[in-house]
Amino acid sequence: MTALDLSSPVAVVGTGTMGQGIAQVALVAGHPVRLYDTAPGRAQAAADAIGARLDRLVEKDRLTGADRDAARARLTAAGTLADLADCSLVVEAVLERLDVKQELFRELEDVVGEDCLLATNTSSLSVTAIGGALRNPGRLVGLHFFNPAPLLPLVEVVSGFATDVTSATRAYETARAWGKTPVACADTPGFIVNRIARPFYAEAFAVYEAQGADPATIDAVLRESGGFRMGAFELTDLIGQDVNESVTHSVWESFFRDVRFTPSLAQRRLVESGRLGRKSGHGWYDHGPDAEPAEPHTAEPCRPPAHVTAEGDLGPASELLALIREAGIQVREDEEDHGTRLVLPSGGQLALADGQTSVEFRDVVYFDLALDYRRATRIALSASQDTAPQTLTEAIGLFQALGKDVSVIGDVPGMIVARTVARIVDLAHDAVAKGVATEEDVDTAMRLGVNYPLGPFEWSRRLGRNWAYALLDDLHLRDPSGRYAPSLALYRHAYATDKREGSTS
């Protein structure tokens, strides 16, 4: 099954920001496009707005004047649904209400031809449920664009329970012909991106609710250590706290209130107070005209240790050993010990976050996971009230000697980046095991849909097959609510590796 021919008319119903963006994508690709909206005058206003954006593309040399004129000639505002009768594809981008969408598609079935492909851009509703109102649900598919549709490349092509393979394939190939990067997805709550991305927000909020760190510090660690483009607090302020919480709540409800997707009470209070983010002038942060940027906690300069003793290779943080040597600090190696930690001159230990807490051990400081320890500009450390001050001072000085800003957070198991990445990896394995998408499509979706520095399976391969399972298993022991219980898919993934290596543990 191939993509729609460029001569085939495409209709977009709903002319808000997303509807206009999808129409622009189809229009620039070369299709005749028809806009329809139930509100009088809105379709024409949307067509005018799209025309203005085409003018700006010409000004930026991203579109020729001739192509702009041809596109404008192909764009029309439809007065009634009957004007869409000869369209080969109709994409709806209307209100996120199941009854509204079902009624629209029932009306469209009476208008368009039998071979017309019907698509919903829903981000939170079930494609299966929307199609359940149709006589022929096999021709309904999800085409989930990301905002702004003309700029972001990802499109999730969602097959409902009754979607025909031919319909899904035609939608997939059409999205690709439009210059997008499509990924195939089964009809699951949140699809790929909104399902697997929940821990990015949830774990940041959980650290905050546990008084482990303030929003500015958590965001800085996610950016400067984890390699994420934005932190969870600043990103949700940009998205809108009400919008982000609504998606989280929808996924949670759709999974029968699975504890892994539980919404944040702190975010709920933020929404209830009307602090919705940038659009209201205040969210996690103050966005008023005179507001000062919130600064992360950064430790004062400390003297670095003269030497450290490496017990083991530090696992995913092994590149630190080379950085320490380059900083002129002697690294002594204990070949008899098979641990994965550094021993400081005071006798205290420095270990990579593993899901345990500092208070459980004598004089241990944990450090957080980094995407790239050489390029990271900030490292988070975690200590308990029982940690010797000299141990923490030496740990701070060590990372400062490597050119890093240091943020000391509370005694939070799994810290910030490590627990976030582990949970993302777990949900990704669980989704693939349940047939939601392929590993390749999951990685593509998370990189392109939410700009993650690595896809979950890329993280998994880099960190080692057992890393995420071991961290979550330790977290689960300390929080037996089920939130951190590793999925069966992740367990199988880790156990298979151990079995091949001859371990029965």
Side-chain angles (χ1 to χ4, degrees):
M1 182 64 66
T2 58
L4 294 176
D5 188 272
L6 290 180
S7 63
S8 302
V10 172
V12 177
V13 179
T15 57
T17 300
M18 185 58 76
Q20 290 182 34
I22 296 170
Q24 181 178 325
V25 170
L27 189 65
V28 172
H31 288 274
V33 173
R34 295 175 194 164
L35 293 170
Y36 175 76
D37 199 292
T38 55
R42 285 196 62 178
Q44 186 56 57
D48 294 341
I50 293 171
R53 284 198 290 274
L54 295 179
D55 289 339
R56 289 195 290 274
L57 291 178
V58 172
E59 292 169 3
K60 296 177 181 179
D61 293 325
R62 296 178 183 173
L63 191 69
T64 67
D67 286 341
R68 184 246 347 252
D69 294 342
R72 277 183 164 173
R74 295 194 302 272
L75 179 63
T76 57
T80 67
L81 280 181
D83 295 333
L84 313 182
D86 64 339
C87 288
S88 298
L89 167 64
V90 179
V91 184
E92 70 81 12
V94 301
L95 188 66
E96 281 287 278
R97 273 181 42 187
L98 179 61
D99 58 336
V100 172
K101 293 181 186 292
Q102 287 178 329
E103 180 59 28
L104 170 63
F105 282 115
R106 275 195 292 261
E107 293 178 12
L108 283 169
E109 267 197 313
D110 293 332
V111 171
V112 299
E114 291 294 329
D115 59 347
C116 177
L117 184 63
L118 301 178
T120 172
N121 184 58
T122 185
S123 61
S124 60
L125 299 177
S126 164
V127 174
T128 301
I130 295 171
L134 303 182
R135 295 190 300 272
N136 177 17
R139 60 166 159 173
L140 178 74
V141 64
L143 274 181
H144 181 215
F145 289 77
F146 287 73
N147 193 29
L151 297 180
L152 295 186
L154 183 69
V155 177
E156 292 177 318
V157 181
V158 185
S159 293
F161 187 78
T163 301
D164 291 335
V165 172
T166 54
S167 298
T169 303
R170 171 156 285 186
Y172 184 98
E173 294 300 333
T174 297
R176 184 158 62 178
W178 290 357
K180 296 300 181 182
T181 302
V183 292
C185 176
D187 185 20
T188 183
F191 307 143
I192 299 174
V193 172
N194 280 328
R195 172 178 176 151
I196 296 174
R198 291 351 293 159
F200 179 74
Y201 313 107
E203 294 312 307
F205 300 161
V207 172
Y208 168 75
E209 290 175 331
Q211 300 187 52
D214 60 278
T217 299
I218 296 169
D219 278 352
V221 172
L222 286 168
R223 290 193 313 270
E224 300 172 38
S225 183
F228 293 95
R229 185 167 297 184
M230 298 180 73
F233 296 89
E234 58 186 336
L235 180 55
T236 52
D237 264 4
L238 178 63
I239 294 169
Q241 298 302 330
D242 53 339
V243 174
N244 181 261
E245 196 219 18
S246 176
V247 173
T248 298
H249 196 273
S250 174
V251 172
W252 177 58
E253 289 283 4
S254 297
F255 276 114
F256 308 105
R257 301 196 173 188
D258 186 329
V259 68
R260 296 177 302 164
F261 301 101
T262 301
S264 161
L265 180 59
Q267 188 180 39
R268 175 91 292 262
R269 294 291 179 257
L270 205 65
V271 173
E272 289 174 339
S273 70
R275 294 188 171 189
L276 306 182
R278 289 184 178 273
K279 62 186 177 183
S280 70
H282 206 303
W284 295 111
Y285 300 111
D286 184 353
H287 299 284
D290 301 320
E292 294 290 331
E295 295 294 332
H297 167 74
T298 302
E300 295 295 324
C302 294
R303 184 184 300 276
H307 63 84
V308 296
T309 300
E311 297 182 345
D313 63 3
L314 298 188
S318 58
E319 64 181 320
L320 278 176
L321 297 178
L323 297 180
I324 293 170
R325 291 188 178 97
E326 291 169 15
I329 298 172
Q330 181 186 10
V331 177
R332 303 171 180 175
E333 298 190 27
D334 185 347
E335 297 181 357
E336 298 300 319
D337 197 294
H338 299 288
T340 54
R341 55 191 175 271
L342 295 173
V343 180
L344 299 163
S346 63
Q349 298 181 357
L350 191 57
L352 176 62
D354 59 5
Q356 301 182 87
T357 58
S358 293
V359 76
E360 300 172 53
F361 304 97
R362 179 184 172 276
D363 222 10
V364 169
V365 173
Y366 279 106
F367 64 93
D368 208 350
L369 180 69
L371 172 68
D372 183 330
Y373 283 98
R374 182 173 294 276
R375 295 183 180 181
T377 58
R378 182 178 299 272
I379 293 293
L381 301 181
S382 174
S384 76
Q385 67 270 21
D386 296 330
T387 303
Q390 181 62 23
T391 298
L392 182 57
T393 297
E394 289 176 345
I396 293 171
L398 174 65
F399 281 102
Q400 288 175 336
L402 306 186
K404 318 300 183 187
D405 288 327
V406 176
S407 292
V408 179
I409 70 171
D411 190 14
V412 178
M415 301 191 69
I416 298 171
V417 179
R419 70 196 289 175
T420 298
V421 170
R423 288 209 58 217
I424 289 170
V425 167
D426 183 46
L427 289 188
H429 277 279
D430 184 54
V432 169
K434 292 176 178 174
V436 173
T438 65
E439 291 186 8
E440 181 180 3
D441 277 356
V442 166
D443 277 353
T444 297
M446 301 313 291
R447 286 196 315 270
L448 299 184
V450 277
N451 291 311
Y452 283 2
L454 294 174
F457 292 96
E458 291 173 316
W459 270 113
S460 186
R461 288 189 290 271
R462 174 182 288 202
L463 296 170
R465 293 173 66 110
N466 191 55
W467 178 85
Y469 175 80
L471 187 144
L472 291 176
D473 196 40
D474 276 334
L475 265 171
H476 178 53
L477 289 174
R478 287 149 187 83
D479 178 0
S481 65
R483 178 188 182 103
Y484 300 104
S487 67
L488 179 59
L490 191 65
Y491 172 79
R492 285 173 171 159
H493 179 74
Y495 181 77
T497 302
D498 290 343
K499 187 175 180 179
R500 284 198 296 273
E501 293 174 354
S503 170
T504 58
S505 61

